[in-house]
């Protein structure tokens, strides 16, 4: 196969996968993060929920899980088809 000049194509990047091996794609979808400090109304969360969804727990509740999945799957390509969304409650 001849080399492809990326500047001559509409391709942004290539994923080079060794022959005779399936590509591993990890798709992360619609990650929701809640920061209880941004709640619009004090009645939206109980005091326990307020602590559970505090900003300091975002790593524990979301990003650590994403890191763990990436480590276990060892993907060739990661697709995040939605943004990491900080929800206001």
């Amino acid at each position: 196969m001849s080399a492809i000049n990326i500047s001559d194509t509409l391709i942004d990047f290539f994923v080079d996968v060794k022959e005779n091996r399936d590509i591993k794609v990890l798709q992360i979808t619609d990650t929701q993060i809640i920061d209880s400090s941004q709640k619009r109304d004090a009645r939206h969360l109980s005091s326990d929920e307020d602590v559970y969804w505090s900003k300091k727990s975002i790593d524990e509740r979301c990003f650590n899980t994403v890191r763990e999945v990436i480590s276990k799957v060892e993907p060739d390509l990661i697709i995040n088809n939605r943004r990491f969304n900080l929800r206001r409650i």
Side-chain angles (χ1 to χ4, degrees):
M1 187 166 117
S2 62
I4 297 173
N5 186 345
I6 293 177
S7 63
D8 294 337
T9 69
L10 296 176
I11 299 170
D12 291 327
F13 61 90
F14 287 94
V15 177
D16 190 17
V17 179
K18 293 180 181 173
E19 207 170 318
N20 299 319
R21 186 174 81 73
D22 290 337
I23 186 170
K24 286 187 197 175
V25 178
L26 174 62
Q27 181 175 347
I28 300 171
T29 305
D30 203 17
T31 306
Q32 298 289 324
I33 303 166
I34 296 174
D35 175 6
S36 61
S37 69
Q38 295 188 26
K39 63 185 172 191
R40 295 178 208 155
D41 187 327
R43 298 171 293 176
H44 283 170
L45 298 174
S46 69
S47 58
D48 289 340
E49 290 171 323
D50 206 32
V51 172
Y52 184 85
W53 294 113
S54 70
K55 189 172 186 174
K56 63 185 173 190
S57 70
I58 288 174
D59 269 348
E60 179 184 343
R61 304 268 174 256
C62 179
F63 299 130
N64 288 348
T65 302
V66 171
R67 287 184 198 102
E68 183 180 328
V69 169
I70 291 169
S71 291
K72 286 181 179 179
V73 173
E74 296 181 339
D76 299 304
L77 178 65
I78 300 171
I79 300 169
N80 181 18
N81 65 340
R82 297 287 304 255
R83 66 185 181 270
F84 284 94
N85 190 20
L86 181 59
R87 271 186 47 209
R88 290 196 59 165
I89 50 173

PDB file of all heavy atoms in Angstrom, residues 24-28 31 62-80 84:
ATOM      1  N   LYS A  24      -9.827  -1.596  19.136  1.00  0.00           N
ATOM      2  CA  LYS A  24     -10.634  -1.390  20.349  1.00  0.00           C
ATOM      3  C   LYS A  24     -11.028   0.076  20.411  1.00  0.00           C
ATOM      4  O   LYS A  24     -10.175   0.949  20.506  1.00  0.00           O
ATOM      5  CB  LYS A  24      -9.836  -1.728  21.608  1.00  0.00           C
ATOM      6  CG  LYS A  24      -9.627  -3.174  21.858  1.00  0.00           C
ATOM      7  CD  LYS A  24      -8.979  -3.325  23.230  1.00  0.00           C
ATOM      8  CE  LYS A  24      -8.366  -4.661  23.421  1.00  0.00           C
ATOM      9  NZ  LYS A  24      -7.648  -4.738  24.700  1.00  0.00           N
ATOM     10  N   VAL A  25     -12.335   0.312  20.361  1.00  0.00           N
ATOM     11  CA  VAL A  25     -12.860   1.666  20.443  1.00  0.00           C
ATOM     12  C   VAL A  25     -13.676   1.773  21.726  1.00  0.00           C
ATOM     13  O   VAL A  25     -14.539   0.955  21.991  1.00  0.00           O
ATOM     14  CB  VAL A  25     -13.752   1.995  19.227  1.00  0.00           C
ATOM     15  CG1 VAL A  25     -14.344   3.400  19.351  1.00  0.00           C
ATOM     16  CG2 VAL A  25     -12.961   1.867  17.936  1.00  0.00           C
ATOM     17  N   LEU A  26     -13.379   2.763  22.512  1.00  0.00           N
ATOM     18  CA  LEU A  26     -14.145   3.035  23.730  1.00  0.00           C
ATOM     19  C   LEU A  26     -14.958   4.295  23.480  1.00  0.00           C
ATOM     20  O   LEU A  26     -14.406   5.349  23.163  1.00  0.00           O
ATOM     21  CB  LEU A  26     -13.212   3.240  24.927  1.00  0.00           C
ATOM     22  CG  LEU A  26     -13.877   3.664  26.230  1.00  0.00           C
ATOM     23  CD1 LEU A  26     -14.862   2.609  26.715  1.00  0.00           C
ATOM     24  CD2 LEU A  26     -12.829   3.953  27.297  1.00  0.00           C
ATOM     25  N   GLN A  27     -16.266   4.168  23.593  1.00  0.00           N
ATOM     26  CA  GLN A  27     -17.150   5.308  23.404  1.00  0.00           C
ATOM     27  C   GLN A  27     -17.713   5.725  24.756  1.00  0.00           C
ATOM     28  O   GLN A  27     -18.350   4.939  25.446  1.00  0.00           O
ATOM     29  CB  GLN A  27     -18.290   4.943  22.464  1.00  0.00           C
ATOM     30  CG  GLN A  27     -19.222   6.092  22.206  1.00  0.00           C
ATOM     31  CD  GLN A  27     -20.282   5.749  21.183  1.00  0.00           C
ATOM     32  OE1 GLN A  27     -20.191   4.749  20.483  1.00  0.00           O
ATOM     33  NE2 GLN A  27     -21.298   6.578  21.102  1.00  0.00           N
ATOM     34  N   ILE A  28     -17.440   6.963  25.120  1.00  0.00           N
ATOM     35  CA  ILE A  28     -17.945   7.528  26.372  1.00  0.00           C
ATOM     36  C   ILE A  28     -19.109   8.435  25.998  1.00  0.00           C
ATOM     37  O   ILE A  28     -18.978   9.306  25.145  1.00  0.00           O
ATOM     38  CB  ILE A  28     -16.845   8.321  27.108  1.00  0.00           C
ATOM     39  CG1 ILE A  28     -15.670   7.395  27.418  1.00  0.00           C
ATOM     40  CG2 ILE A  28     -17.397   8.966  28.363  1.00  0.00           C
ATOM     41  CD1 ILE A  28     -14.451   8.104  27.935  1.00  0.00           C
ATOM     42  N   THR A  31     -21.669  11.966  29.774  1.00  0.00           N
ATOM     43  CA  THR A  31     -21.213  11.988  31.160  1.00  0.00           C
ATOM     44  C   THR A  31     -21.807  13.201  31.871  1.00  0.00           C
ATOM     45  O   THR A  31     -21.677  14.320  31.416  1.00  0.00           O
ATOM     46  CB  THR A  31     -19.679  12.060  31.216  1.00  0.00           C
ATOM     47  OG1 THR A  31     -19.165  10.999  30.439  1.00  0.00           O
ATOM     48  CG2 THR A  31     -19.167  11.954  32.617  1.00  0.00           C
ATOM     49  N   CYS A  62     -16.878  10.650  38.926  1.00  0.00           N
ATOM     50  CA  CYS A  62     -16.870  10.590  37.464  1.00  0.00           C
ATOM     51  C   CYS A  62     -15.498  10.246  36.884  1.00  0.00           C
ATOM     52  O   CYS A  62     -15.321   9.200  36.291  1.00  0.00           O
ATOM     53  CB  CYS A  62     -17.347  11.925  36.898  1.00  0.00           C
ATOM     54  SG  CYS A  62     -17.341  11.974  35.106  1.00  0.00           S
ATOM     55  N   PHE A  63     -14.555  11.130  37.029  1.00  0.00           N
ATOM     56  CA  PHE A  63     -13.290  10.999  36.306  1.00  0.00           C
ATOM     57  C   PHE A  63     -12.487   9.775  36.718  1.00  0.00           C
ATOM     58  O   PHE A  63     -11.846   9.151  35.874  1.00  0.00           O
ATOM     59  CB  PHE A  63     -12.460  12.276  36.439  1.00  0.00           C
ATOM     60  CG  PHE A  63     -13.149  13.477  35.864  1.00  0.00           C
ATOM     61  CD1 PHE A  63     -13.271  14.642  36.593  1.00  0.00           C
ATOM     62  CD2 PHE A  63     -13.711  13.440  34.598  1.00  0.00           C
ATOM     63  CE1 PHE A  63     -13.916  15.749  36.066  1.00  0.00           C
ATOM     64  CE2 PHE A  63     -14.356  14.539  34.064  1.00  0.00           C
ATOM     65  CZ  PHE A  63     -14.457  15.705  34.805  1.00  0.00           C
ATOM     66  N   ASN A  64     -12.516   9.395  37.985  1.00  0.00           N
ATOM     67  CA  ASN A  64     -11.810   8.185  38.394  1.00  0.00           C
ATOM     68  C   ASN A  64     -12.404   6.952  37.717  1.00  0.00           C
ATOM     69  O   ASN A  64     -11.678   6.035  37.329  1.00  0.00           O
ATOM     70  CB  ASN A  64     -11.820   8.012  39.912  1.00  0.00           C
ATOM     71  CG  ASN A  64     -10.913   9.007  40.612  1.00  0.00           C
ATOM     72  OD1 ASN A  64     -10.107   9.681  39.992  1.00  0.00           O
ATOM     73  ND2 ASN A  64     -11.063   9.115  41.914  1.00  0.00           N
ATOM     74  N   THR A  65     -13.712   6.940  37.555  1.00  0.00           N
ATOM     75  CA  THR A  65     -14.380   5.832  36.873  1.00  0.00           C
ATOM     76  C   THR A  65     -13.968   5.791  35.403  1.00  0.00           C
ATOM     77  O   THR A  65     -13.663   4.725  34.862  1.00  0.00           O
ATOM     78  CB  THR A  65     -15.911   5.972  36.991  1.00  0.00           C
ATOM     79  OG1 THR A  65     -16.258   6.014  38.371  1.00  0.00           O
ATOM     80  CG2 THR A  65     -16.620   4.826  36.304  1.00  0.00           C
ATOM     81  N   VAL A  66     -13.929   6.942  34.754  1.00  0.00           N
ATOM     82  CA  VAL A  66     -13.507   7.010  33.357  1.00  0.00           C
ATOM     83  C   VAL A  66     -12.061   6.523  33.231  1.00  0.00           C
ATOM     84  O   VAL A  66     -11.740   5.718  32.340  1.00  0.00           O
ATOM     85  CB  VAL A  66     -13.666   8.438  32.791  1.00  0.00           C
ATOM     86  CG1 VAL A  66     -13.021   8.565  31.425  1.00  0.00           C
ATOM     87  CG2 VAL A  66     -15.132   8.837  32.737  1.00  0.00           C
ATOM     88  N   ARG A  67     -11.181   6.971  34.120  1.00  0.00           N
ATOM     89  CA  ARG A  67      -9.777   6.517  34.092  1.00  0.00           C
ATOM     90  C   ARG A  67      -9.676   5.004  34.274  1.00  0.00           C
ATOM     91  O   ARG A  67      -8.887   4.330  33.610  1.00  0.00           O
ATOM     92  CB  ARG A  67      -8.974   7.219  35.183  1.00  0.00           C
ATOM     93  CG  ARG A  67      -8.683   8.669  34.908  1.00  0.00           C
ATOM     94  CD  ARG A  67      -7.801   9.266  36.014  1.00  0.00           C
ATOM     95  NE  ARG A  67      -7.870  10.693  35.968  1.00  0.00           N
ATOM     96  CZ  ARG A  67      -8.587  11.467  36.783  1.00  0.00           C
ATOM     97  NH1 ARG A  67      -9.300  10.935  37.750  1.00  0.00           N
ATOM     98  NH2 ARG A  67      -8.584  12.766  36.662  1.00  0.00           N
ATOM     99  N   GLU A  68     -10.467   4.458  35.189  1.00  0.00           N
ATOM    100  CA  GLU A  68     -10.454   3.017  35.460  1.00  0.00           C
ATOM    101  C   GLU A  68     -10.902   2.225  34.219  1.00  0.00           C
ATOM    102  O   GLU A  68     -10.286   1.220  33.865  1.00  0.00           O
ATOM    103  CB  GLU A  68     -11.374   2.714  36.637  1.00  0.00           C
ATOM    104  CG  GLU A  68     -11.398   1.266  37.052  1.00  0.00           C
ATOM    105  CD  GLU A  68     -12.326   1.030  38.225  1.00  0.00           C
ATOM    106  OE1 GLU A  68     -12.483   1.928  39.075  1.00  0.00           O
ATOM    107  OE2 GLU A  68     -12.902  -0.068  38.274  1.00  0.00           O
ATOM    108  N   VAL A  69     -11.947   2.673  33.580  1.00  0.00           N
ATOM    109  CA  VAL A  69     -12.439   1.997  32.375  1.00  0.00           C
ATOM    110  C   VAL A  69     -11.382   2.048  31.270  1.00  0.00           C
ATOM    111  O   VAL A  69     -11.120   1.048  30.603  1.00  0.00           O
ATOM    112  CB  VAL A  69     -13.780   2.612  31.903  1.00  0.00           C
ATOM    113  CG1 VAL A  69     -14.159   2.112  30.525  1.00  0.00           C
ATOM    114  CG2 VAL A  69     -14.881   2.341  32.908  1.00  0.00           C
ATOM    115  N   ILE A  70     -10.768   3.195  31.079  1.00  0.00           N
ATOM    116  CA  ILE A  70      -9.727   3.329  30.054  1.00  0.00           C
ATOM    117  C   ILE A  70      -8.567   2.378  30.353  1.00  0.00           C
ATOM    118  O   ILE A  70      -8.051   1.703  29.450  1.00  0.00           O
ATOM    119  CB  ILE A  70      -9.233   4.791  29.955  1.00  0.00           C
ATOM    120  CG1 ILE A  70     -10.339   5.669  29.363  1.00  0.00           C
ATOM    121  CG2 ILE A  70      -7.958   4.885  29.115  1.00  0.00           C
ATOM    122  CD1 ILE A  70     -10.073   7.150  29.457  1.00  0.00           C
ATOM    123  N   SER A  71      -8.169   2.278  31.605  1.00  0.00           N
ATOM    124  CA  SER A  71      -7.074   1.366  31.989  1.00  0.00           C
ATOM    125  C   SER A  71      -7.434  -0.086  31.719  1.00  0.00           C
ATOM    126  O   SER A  71      -6.602  -0.864  31.263  1.00  0.00           O
ATOM    127  CB  SER A  71      -6.728   1.523  33.466  1.00  0.00           C
ATOM    128  OG  SER A  71      -6.140   2.761  33.700  1.00  0.00           O
ATOM    129  N   LYS A  72      -8.671  -0.471  31.996  1.00  0.00           N
ATOM    130  CA  LYS A  72      -9.093  -1.856  31.798  1.00  0.00           C
ATOM    131  C   LYS A  72      -9.254  -2.198  30.318  1.00  0.00           C
ATOM    132  O   LYS A  72      -8.876  -3.281  29.880  1.00  0.00           O
ATOM    133  CB  LYS A  72     -10.406  -2.129  32.534  1.00  0.00           C
ATOM    134  CG  LYS A  72     -10.240  -2.242  34.027  1.00  0.00           C
ATOM    135  CD  LYS A  72     -11.558  -2.535  34.702  1.00  0.00           C
ATOM    136  CE  LYS A  72     -11.353  -2.663  36.201  1.00  0.00           C
ATOM    137  NZ  LYS A  72     -12.614  -2.931  36.908  1.00  0.00           N
ATOM    138  N   VAL A  73      -9.819  -1.297  29.550  1.00  0.00           N
ATOM    139  CA  VAL A  73     -10.110  -1.568  28.138  1.00  0.00           C
ATOM    140  C   VAL A  73      -8.862  -1.422  27.263  1.00  0.00           C
ATOM    141  O   VAL A  73      -8.693  -2.146  26.294  1.00  0.00           O
ATOM    142  CB  VAL A  73     -11.239  -0.636  27.633  1.00  0.00           C
ATOM    143  CG1 VAL A  73     -11.442  -0.771  26.141  1.00  0.00           C
ATOM    144  CG2 VAL A  73     -12.532  -0.916  28.379  1.00  0.00           C
ATOM    145  N   GLU A  74      -7.997  -0.489  27.608  1.00  0.00           N
ATOM    146  CA  GLU A  74      -6.813  -0.171  26.800  1.00  0.00           C
ATOM    147  C   GLU A  74      -7.182   0.057  25.338  1.00  0.00           C
ATOM    148  O   GLU A  74      -6.720  -0.636  24.430  1.00  0.00           O
ATOM    149  CB  GLU A  74      -5.757  -1.272  26.928  1.00  0.00           C
ATOM    150  CG  GLU A  74      -5.205  -1.423  28.325  1.00  0.00           C
ATOM    151  CD  GLU A  74      -4.149  -2.500  28.444  1.00  0.00           C
ATOM    152  OE1 GLU A  74      -4.094  -3.407  27.588  1.00  0.00           O
ATOM    153  OE2 GLU A  74      -3.367  -2.415  29.398  1.00  0.00           O
ATOM    154  N   PRO A  75      -8.022   1.053  25.090  1.00  0.00           N
ATOM    155  CA  PRO A  75      -8.521   1.275  23.733  1.00  0.00           C
ATOM    156  C   PRO A  75      -7.473   1.873  22.796  1.00  0.00           C
ATOM    157  O   PRO A  75      -6.534   2.526  23.235  1.00  0.00           O
ATOM    158  CB  PRO A  75      -9.670   2.258  23.949  1.00  0.00           C
ATOM    159  CG  PRO A  75      -9.272   3.018  25.170  1.00  0.00           C
ATOM    160  CD  PRO A  75      -8.557   2.023  26.035  1.00  0.00           C
ATOM    161  N   ASP A  76      -7.689   1.633  21.512  1.00  0.00           N
ATOM    162  CA  ASP A  76      -6.876   2.279  20.481  1.00  0.00           C
ATOM    163  C   ASP A  76      -7.400   3.675  20.185  1.00  0.00           C
ATOM    164  O   ASP A  76      -6.655   4.548  19.746  1.00  0.00           O
ATOM    165  CB  ASP A  76      -6.922   1.448  19.187  1.00  0.00           C
ATOM    166  CG  ASP A  76      -6.355   0.061  19.389  1.00  0.00           C
ATOM    167  OD1 ASP A  76      -5.202  -0.040  19.826  1.00  0.00           O
ATOM    168  OD2 ASP A  76      -7.081  -0.925  19.131  1.00  0.00           O
ATOM    169  N   LEU A  77      -8.690   3.843  20.402  1.00  0.00           N
ATOM    170  CA  LEU A  77      -9.342   5.107  20.107  1.00  0.00           C
ATOM    171  C   LEU A  77     -10.433   5.344  21.142  1.00  0.00           C
ATOM    172  O   LEU A  77     -11.183   4.431  21.480  1.00  0.00           O
ATOM    173  CB  LEU A  77      -9.969   5.059  18.702  1.00  0.00           C
ATOM    174  CG  LEU A  77     -10.744   6.277  18.227  1.00  0.00           C
ATOM    175  CD1 LEU A  77      -9.826   7.487  18.067  1.00  0.00           C
ATOM    176  CD2 LEU A  77     -11.437   5.965  16.908  1.00  0.00           C
ATOM    177  N   ILE A  78     -10.513   6.572  21.653  1.00  0.00           N
ATOM    178  CA  ILE A  78     -11.570   6.952  22.600  1.00  0.00           C
ATOM    179  C   ILE A  78     -12.427   8.020  21.929  1.00  0.00           C
ATOM    180  O   ILE A  78     -11.911   9.019  21.430  1.00  0.00           O
ATOM    181  CB  ILE A  78     -10.987   7.504  23.916  1.00  0.00           C
ATOM    182  CG1 ILE A  78     -10.114   6.455  24.591  1.00  0.00           C
ATOM    183  CG2 ILE A  78     -12.110   7.975  24.836  1.00  0.00           C
ATOM    184  CD1 ILE A  78      -9.331   6.978  25.773  1.00  0.00           C
ATOM    185  N   ILE A  79     -13.731   7.771  21.933  1.00  0.00           N
ATOM    186  CA  ILE A  79     -14.679   8.727  21.366  1.00  0.00           C
ATOM    187  C   ILE A  79     -15.573   9.211  22.498  1.00  0.00           C
ATOM    188  O   ILE A  79     -16.175   8.411  23.197  1.00  0.00           O
ATOM    189  CB  ILE A  79     -15.544   8.073  20.270  1.00  0.00           C
ATOM    190  CG1 ILE A  79     -14.667   7.560  19.137  1.00  0.00           C
ATOM    191  CG2 ILE A  79     -16.594   9.053  19.759  1.00  0.00           C
ATOM    192  CD1 ILE A  79     -15.407   6.686  18.148  1.00  0.00           C
ATOM    193  N   ASN A  80     -15.636  10.514  22.663  1.00  0.00           N
ATOM    194  CA  ASN A  80     -16.571  11.105  23.622  1.00  0.00           C
ATOM    195  C   ASN A  80     -17.580  11.879  22.790  1.00  0.00           C
ATOM    196  O   ASN A  80     -17.300  12.975  22.341  1.00  0.00           O
ATOM    197  CB  ASN A  80     -15.834  12.013  24.602  1.00  0.00           C
ATOM    198  CG  ASN A  80     -16.774  12.619  25.625  1.00  0.00           C
ATOM    199  OD1 ASN A  80     -17.868  12.137  25.828  1.00  0.00           O
ATOM    200  ND2 ASN A  80     -16.339  13.686  26.260  1.00  0.00           N
ATOM    201  N   PHE A  84     -18.332  16.480  28.552  1.00  0.00           N
ATOM    202  CA  PHE A  84     -18.444  16.214  29.990  1.00  0.00           C
ATOM    203  C   PHE A  84     -19.272  17.360  30.545  1.00  0.00           C
ATOM    204  O   PHE A  84     -18.827  18.492  30.603  1.00  0.00           O
ATOM    205  CB  PHE A  84     -17.064  16.140  30.643  1.00  0.00           C
ATOM    206  CG  PHE A  84     -16.359  14.858  30.361  1.00  0.00           C
ATOM    207  CD1 PHE A  84     -15.478  14.749  29.303  1.00  0.00           C
ATOM    208  CD2 PHE A  84     -16.587  13.741  31.139  1.00  0.00           C
ATOM    209  CE1 PHE A  84     -14.842  13.558  29.039  1.00  0.00           C
ATOM    210  CE2 PHE A  84     -15.954  12.547  30.890  1.00  0.00           C
ATOM    211  CZ  PHE A  84     -15.075  12.453  29.832  1.00  0.00           C
TER     212      PHE A  84
END
